[in-house]
Amino acid sequence: MHHPLFTTKEHTPIATSLVPHDASYYGKCAVAGVLACGATHTFLTPLDVVKCNLQVFPSKYTGLVQGFRLVAAEEGLVGLYKGWAPTALGYSAQGFCKYGLYEVFKDAYSAVLGDVVPSGGIYLAASASAEVIADVALCPIEMVKVKVQTSPVGTFLTAIKPAVAAMRANAAETRFPFGSVVPLWSRQIPYTLAKFFFFEKVVEAFYTHVFTAPKESYPKPRRDLASGYLAGVIWAVVSHPADSVVSLLAKAEHKGKSVPTIVAETGLTNLATRGLGSRIPIIGTLTGLPWWIYDAFKSACGMGTTGGIAKR
């Protein structure tokens, strides 16, 4: 027997919350998003440093383990945390918009379209809308982060304020602050569509076909990590070519080149495979762990966990 709040009807998505979805609720979701994105991305900065260098300097960086050793040998352990400050700042801003606005858009689209659009359509529309805005917030500091992480030692500033000033001063060459927003959208929107859609759908499937006792009787961390990690692995593969382009835009020899030119010169196979081995654990963790943090914060605030569309 299914839990009474869940149904298998396509046009009647699960309803999971009796908490009023007001400004306070959305504000807390945005704060939870800051913790979910900012903390996890900053924690995994070493993986991101190696991944970016694998994409930009494939002849020098040939694998994940070799990349860690090379960065540590040339720059010390501190080199593995290059760009941690812009990472923390940029992804905190992204998380604020991504999670907070997802809840806003999900409720708004459900109120208008809930009777005619399946739950999956609501999840996709809400996550895409939120990500478009979140990437505009992320883009300037993401460009700084990539430049810091992929510049050879001593060729670019590493402190965040002077690095931003240098990017701005050379805006004609760096295309700062929004030169990477289109490839960023190409990378992040498909990933976020998968991240939210598959998370929501895995949760629905869990409680419809596998976990048939009341939702509250199951440990939330296991559910959130499993659902999020599965979504992350799938879309790490799909979004990797665009992620490679974002990294290559920061390479000195590509200064002034258009995205189509970089794609043509690098080749789709290389864009899809270079650094993918390191990107999979990054994105899997960056998808599962944030959901755990996000829902843990919401639960601590008495807001319930994510999954489905709120009752009205």
Side-chain angles (χ1 to χ4, degrees):
M1 182 175 180
H2 298 313
H3 189 276
L5 289 182
F6 295 83
T7 176
T8 57
K9 292 182 180 178
E10 187 179 25
H11 288 275
T12 310
I14 57 173
T16 60
S17 177
L18 299 177
V19 178
H21 286 201
D22 52 16
S24 175
Y25 175 88
Y26 298 129
K28 290 174 182 176
C29 288
V31 172
V34 170
L35 297 175
C37 283
T40 51
H41 277 82
T42 304
F43 176 73
L44 292 174
T45 295
L47 274 173
D48 197 27
V49 169
V50 175
K51 182 266 298 181
C52 287
N53 280 285
L54 281 166
Q55 293 169 325
V56 175
F57 304 109
S59 60
K60 181 177 180 180
Y61 295 86
T62 59
L64 184 59
V65 175
Q66 181 265 356
F68 273 109
R69 290 174 176 170
L70 185 56
V71 172
E74 292 186 346
E75 304 179 49
L77 293 178
V78 69
L80 291 170
Y81 278 91
K82 284 195 307 184
W84 73 266
T87 296
L89 180 60
Y91 284 93
S92 291
Q94 186 203 42
F96 183 91
C97 297
K98 184 200 298 263
Y99 285 88
L101 291 177
Y102 173 69
E103 301 285 359
V104 172
F105 284 125
K106 184 167 71 168
D107 286 349
Y109 293 155
S110 176
V112 175
L113 304 171
D115 292 334
V116 294
V117 175
S119 61
I122 300 295
Y123 303 147
L124 291 171
S127 58
S129 300
E131 188 61 40
V132 167
I133 298 170
D135 287 343
V136 173
L138 169 65
C139 185
I141 208 68
E142 171 74 358
M143 295 182 72
V144 174
K145 176 192 77 73
V146 172
K147 184 68 173 177
V148 168
Q149 290 179 336
T150 59
S151 295
V153 182
T155 63
F156 192 72
L157 301 161
T158 56
I160 185 168
K161 286 186 178 180
V164 170
M167 292 285 286
R168 183 181 292 115
N170 296 288
E173 296 180 357
T174 63
R175 291 173 285 190
F176 183 82
F178 297 112
S180 291
V181 73
V182 172
L184 198 58
W185 279 331
S186 299
R187 180 188 81 185
Q188 290 295 131
I189 292 176
Y191 160 61
T192 297
L193 288 173
K195 175 177 179 175
F196 285 84
F197 176 84
F198 279 105
F199 178 82
E200 297 269 17
K201 284 299 184 180
V202 169
V203 170
E204 287 185 15
F206 276 169
Y207 291 105
T208 301
H209 304 293
V210 181
F211 304 134
T212 55
K215 181 183 177 185
E216 294 75 14
S217 66
Y218 298 104
K220 292 184 289 294
R222 293 182 185 177
R223 182 205 72 182
D224 298 340
L225 282 169
S227 302
Y229 203 94
L230 284 172
V233 169
I234 294 168
W235 284 91
V237 176
V238 174
S239 63
H240 191 69
D243 182 67
S244 297
V245 172
V246 171
S247 295
L248 288 168
L249 284 169
K251 195 173 182 179
E253 66 187 64
H254 291 151
K255 182 173 63 178
K257 292 183 180 179
S258 67
V259 170
T261 299
I262 293 173
V263 170
E265 291 179 353
T266 307
L268 290 176
T269 299
N270 289 328
L271 289 173
T273 58
R274 285 178 183 169
L276 181 60
S278 60
R279 182 167 170 77
I280 286 176
I282 291 174
I283 299 305
T285 304
L286 287 176
T287 305
L289 187 56
W291 279 121
W292 180 82
I293 295 173
Y294 184 68
D295 273 0
F297 184 91
K298 289 178 66 178
S299 295
C301 293
M303 300 159 61
T305 57
T306 306
I309 296 171
K311 280 186 172 181
R312 294 185 176 277

